[in-house]
Amino acid sequence: MRITDSYRVRTVIENLNASRERMNILQERLASAKKINRPSDDPIGATKSMRLRTVLEDNIQFDNNIEDALGFLSATEEALNDVYDLLLEVKNIAIKGANDSTTDREDLANELDLILENFVEIANTKYRGKYIFGGTETLSMPFTLNRNVLNYNLDEDVVIYRGNSNTYRRQINEHTQLELNIPGSSMFDMTNAGGVSIFQEVYKLRNNFKQNPLKIDRDKMDESLNNLDTAL
């Protein structure tokens, strides 16, 4: 799943760069066009020149939008790669904990606590002062680690999401608006689409290690391994 998200972002970045290149070519042509000092010199040419000037001004704004979109998507791609790397680390810990000869599962659980905090930090990634995974709630921190769940094993979500599922767009040319963001509600929690919640899977694995430090619950372990494969 993370690979699919990353591929989507990379494809959009490539399309943006191509669109920007086409605009640069157009701006060069406009800049080299015949200049008319007074409309009376060439009324028809003056009308065309005014239209071209409007196009040029629009293209400057589109270029700014593309630059902002590229930066935003690059930050998103970097976060996705970090998520993927952490998921691989979680899976390696799971495989180690599944080994019957393992005796340090309490230590593995502590490692997962730190990884869970790292996931939350990535989920709260900012670009130019705005949170990129909060949907359209870009000014408030979207994810909060529920430490009461960690400390007291409460039946609540281990990570609370305060963003929304909305997307926002940037106008990149006269006819195209680009959808930029991946809301955190779909990025980190795919349970509504038949997937898994990354946060909950790490938490469940951590609990399995803490509650069964000497002999692992094999059914829960197999479930965790399968769900991690789904998340990857």
Side-chain angles (χ1 to χ4, degrees):
M1 184 174 64
R2 304 283 77 76
I3 294 175
T4 303
D5 289 333
S6 185
Y7 177 78
R8 172 200 161 199
V9 170
R10 173 49 48 187
T11 299
V12 174
I13 288 175
E14 290 174 355
N15 291 339
L16 279 173
N17 282 322
S19 179
R20 194 175 203 179
E21 185 175 347
R22 288 193 295 271
M23 277 201 293
N24 287 338
I25 292 173
L26 177 59
Q27 287 179 200
E28 288 177 4
R29 290 176 180 172
L30 292 174
S32 62
K34 176 182 177 183
K35 292 182 175 59
I36 300 171
N37 294 323
R38 294 183 299 275
S40 58
D41 293 341
D42 183 354
I44 295 177
T47 300
K48 289 182 178 179
S49 179
M50 290 175 64
R51 289 176 180 170
L52 290 175
R53 187 176 296 112
T54 299
V55 170
L56 181 58
E57 290 173 354
D58 287 343
N59 279 350
I60 291 174
Q61 182 59 56
F62 293 148
D63 190 62
N64 290 337
N65 290 349
I66 288 176
E67 180 181 0
D68 183 64
L70 284 170
F72 184 96
L73 289 167
S74 294
T76 301
E77 184 180 35
E78 183 176 348
L80 287 171
N81 290 336
D82 290 342
V83 167
Y84 183 73
D85 289 342
L86 276 181
L87 281 172
L88 287 178
E89 190 172 345
V90 171
K91 186 173 181 181
N92 288 334
I93 290 174
I95 292 172
K96 182 178 180 181
N99 193 314
D100 290 335
S101 64
T102 298
T103 59
D104 59 346
R105 293 191 179 92
E106 186 73 27
D107 292 337
L108 296 179
N110 292 335
E111 286 185 47
L112 290 173
D113 280 343
L114 294 176
I115 287 176
L116 194 53
E117 291 184 5
N118 288 340
F119 270 125
V120 173
E121 185 177 343
I122 294 169
N124 287 324
T125 296
K126 285 182 178 182
Y127 173 70
R128 291 185 173 177
K130 295 182 179 180
Y131 293 98
I132 67 176
F133 292 122
T136 52
E137 297 288 339
T138 60
L139 299 180
S140 301
M141 184 180 295
F143 292 93
T144 304
L145 185 62
N146 189 346
R147 295 192 179 277
N148 286 334
V149 173
L150 293 177
N151 295 333
Y152 305 111
N153 197 24
L154 303 179
D155 186 20
E156 299 174 4
D157 289 339
V158 69
V159 174
I160 300 169
Y161 181 61
R162 293 188 172 89
N164 58 41
S165 59
N166 299 331
T167 58
Y168 57 90
R169 302 168 181 269
R170 283 286 185 274
Q171 190 90 22
I172 62 169
N173 60 45
E174 186 178 357
H175 305 290
T176 306
Q177 283 192 341
L178 179 69
E179 186 177 289
L180 282 184
N181 62 324
I182 304 173
S185 53
S186 60
M187 169 65 202
F188 294 94
D189 187 352
M190 293 291 289
T191 51
N192 291 332
V196 299
S197 164
I198 291 175
F199 303 124
Q200 290 302 119
E201 288 308 316
V202 175
Y203 173 63
K204 286 192 294 185
L205 181 61
R206 171 256 198 198
N207 276 1
N208 195 2
F209 290 160
K210 276 190 174 295
Q211 296 166 6
N212 305 282
L214 298 179
K215 187 176 181 180
I216 200 71
D217 185 320
R218 183 58 55 186
D219 289 339
K220 289 183 179 179
M221 193 70 249
D222 290 343
E223 180 184 358
S224 288
L225 288 170
N226 289 333
N227 287 342
L228 286 171
D229 285 337
T230 300
L232 286 164

